[in-house]
Structure formats: structure tokens, C-alpha cells
Amino acid sequence: MKDVKKQNLPSKLCPICQRPFVWRKKWAKDWPNVIYCSEKCQRTAKQIRRQNQEKP
């Protein structure tokens, strides 16, 4: 993503907090697999999945 202005970076919508987030350098190698905007949203999603599995 060299020479790309910040306003032109790709973005996604976090399914947990419903906020848009933009590409970061630390996600450069794994951007297609990035789903959540933060570790907090990732943990919340994991808790939701766990709660759904516990319900019969």
C-alpha cells in the first residue's frame, strides 16, 4: 500500500460494533481475513459464539 493516501485506503465494517475501520500496516499480510476492528470486538464475537453454542 505504498504511495496510497490515507483517505484512499480500503475499509471494512466491523460486524460487532458496526463501525468502519481502515487498512493498517500491521494487517498488510492478512487483510482479506481481518474481520473485526479491535481485539475487544474479536473477544466479544468469541463470547457470542460461545453463548450460542451453550444454548440447546
Side-chain angles (χ1 to χ4, degrees), residues 10-24 27 31 34-38 40-41:
S11 66
K12 292 183 179 181
L13 188 66
C14 178
I16 300 299
C17 66
Q18 301 298 316
R19 293 184 191 159
F21 61 99
V22 294
W23 181 91
R24 293 183 186 173
W27 294 330
W31 178 245
V34 174
I35 299 170
Y36 307 107
C37 64
S38 63
K40 180 182 176 185
C41 285

Side-chain angles (χ1 to χ4, degrees), residues 38-53:
S38 63
E39 289 184 20
K40 180 182 176 185
C41 285
Q42 190 173 10
R43 276 184 270 137
T44 303
K46 195 173 185 178
Q47 289 174 348
I48 291 170
R49 272 186 270 141
R50 195 175 307 143
Q51 288 173 352
N52 288 341
Q53 288 177 349

